[in-house]
Amino acid sequence: MSSNCMEELAVFIEDLLAGKPASPLDEGQDAASARLAKGLNELAGRLYGGPADRALFSHGPVVVFRWRNAEGWPVEFVSDNVEALTGYPAGEFASGRLPYASLIVAKDMERVVQEVTEHSERAMWFEHAPYRIRHQDGRVLWVHDYTVVLRDAEGKATHFYGYIMDISDRVANDELIRKQLAIIDNLGTPIVQVWEGVLTVPLIGPLNDARAASVTEELLERVSQAPVRRAVLDLTGVEDIDTSTVLHLDRMIRAVGLLGCECVLSGVSPTIAQTMVGLDLDFGELRVFQSLAAALRTLVIELGRARRG
């Protein structure tokens, strides 16, 4: 093997030992050298992926990092699409001037370090709780981090593969939903008297056990304080409910009935209807109307006839 080939082989092996994708060796040499070069190229392909495998992470939302288990998590490899996520080109990380830890927002660093410490002892892989990184232009991004732990022969964590994805939009949407739910909870559920002896209870948003219990308590209080003959539970603003909430509604209807007030339902969606039927509950003579308007029209007519009679 020529000195040039030996030098090429030495660089190839150094790259493999350093955890870097090595440039393929020339297989067009004598038979023995060609077999050696071919075998080493196949080995490198299995370890770090060939051009087709690396292309999977050259584009798209998932950025692949390989970090050394050392202070600051020095980057030994990063996919080319890292610049779209962080604003920094891949070469900036490969130079060693930009360890991965330098991207993480200081307020999240302690938690991220704790998660790495806890999982690197035994786990083969783990998922971080979402944390924030700072883009080169100063923007703060939320990321999802799926990390694979690489170990030496003694089981000590030496490197980490991180699969990083920007989830800033998802976090923002979750926060918006949380604020909307908080507003709904603060508003409570208005109980409105729309006619003499008729109350409406418009339910809006998710109806969990806590809200159902609150509505039941308030409705029972209103029914006990005044002569109420009918109460309309309007579910138009409720897209879905779980089985425990249906059971709570059943208890609400029966409790109000014991005070001499009939509960009727309006605005029941197909999803809610399927949930109620699936529980095989006996709702007795519970009346259900397609809309709040239909329920009120029927109940007002009934009460008017009762007074005239």
Side-chain angles (χ1 to χ4, degrees):
M1 184 176 289
S2 67
S3 59
N4 287 340
C5 291
M6 290 295 294
E7 183 177 350
E8 182 184 7
L9 179 60
V11 171
F12 182 90
I13 293 175
E14 287 175 0
D15 286 344
L16 289 185
L17 292 175
K20 302 177 182 177
S23 300
L25 295 170
D26 180 13
E27 299 179 13
Q29 307 173 51
D30 59 83
S33 298
R35 284 199 305 273
L36 176 61
K38 182 178 180 181
L40 289 173
N41 285 338
E42 290 178 354
L43 174 62
R46 287 196 295 270
L47 289 175
Y48 304 109
D53 294 328
R54 291 195 293 273
L56 291 173
F57 298 103
S58 296
H59 308 283
V62 179
V63 177
V64 180
F65 280 92
R66 176 185 167 102
W67 309 300
R68 194 165 68 252
N69 187 15
E71 184 178 357
W73 302 314
V75 177
E76 293 187 343
F77 168 80
V78 64
S79 54
D80 292 337
N81 57 344
V82 68
E83 188 168 1
L85 174 68
T86 68
Y88 297 99
E92 189 74 11
F93 292 95
S95 68
R97 295 189 299 269
L98 194 64
Y100 184 75
S102 66
L103 299 178
I104 301 174
V105 171
K107 290 184 178 179
D108 293 346
M109 177 60 74
E110 182 178 353
R111 173 172 59 82
V112 174
V113 170
Q114 182 179 357
E115 290 171 346
V116 171
T117 302
E118 290 176 355
H119 292 95
S120 61
E121 301 244 345
R122 300 177 300 277
M124 296 178 61
W125 61 269
F126 60 93
E127 292 183 70
H128 283 281
Y131 60 85
R132 292 164 292 181
I133 64 172
R134 194 172 298 279
H135 192 276
Q136 186 184 33
D137 62 13
R139 287 180 294 135
V140 172
L141 307 175
W142 284 93
V143 296
H144 175 77
D145 180 340
Y146 176 97
T147 295
V148 176
V149 183
L150 303 182
R151 303 181 183 280
D152 60 18
E154 298 177 353
K156 180 182 178 181
T158 60
H159 297 79
F160 302 102
Y161 266 120
Y163 299 85
I164 313 298
M165 180 182 295
D166 181 3
I167 58 169
S168 300
D169 288 343
R170 192 191 80 187
V171 171
N173 288 335
D174 290 346
E175 178 64 14
L176 177 61
I177 292 173
R178 186 194 66 78
K179 290 181 178 178
Q180 290 173 338
L181 293 179
I183 291 173
I184 291 173
D185 286 340
N186 289 334
L187 289 175
T189 302
I191 297 178
V192 183
Q193 181 169 340
V194 294
W195 196 262
E196 185 178 350
V198 180
L199 297 178
T200 60
V201 186
L203 299 170
I204 302 173
L207 186 61
N208 53 31
D209 280 351
R211 288 193 66 210
S214 176
V215 172
T216 300
E217 182 179 354
E218 187 174 352
L219 181 57
L220 289 174
E221 184 176 354
R222 289 288 297 274
V223 171
S224 65
Q225 290 176 351
V228 178
R229 302 286 301 280
R230 304 286 191 275
V232 184
L233 303 180
D234 182 48
L235 304 179
T236 303
V238 180
E239 294 182 359
D240 194 11
I241 55 177
D242 56 25
T243 55
S244 65
T245 306
V246 173
L247 294 173
H248 211 128
L249 279 176
D250 178 50
R251 291 193 292 270
M252 181 193 307
I253 292 168
R254 288 189 283 113
V256 172
L258 291 176
L259 297 180
C261 175
E262 179 193 4
C263 267
V264 302
L265 298 183
S266 67
V268 176
S269 70
T271 303
I272 294 176
Q274 288 180 349
T275 303
M276 295 175 68
V277 172
L279 290 177
D280 197 25
L281 292 174
D282 181 11
F283 286 98
E285 298 180 357
L286 175 67
R287 292 193 285 174
V288 180
F289 295 87
Q290 187 173 9
S291 66
L292 177 59
L296 293 177
R297 183 167 54 248
T298 300
L299 297 181
V300 168
I301 291 174
E302 288 178 355
L303 291 176
R305 287 174 179 171
R307 290 193 186 91
R308 290 194 299 271

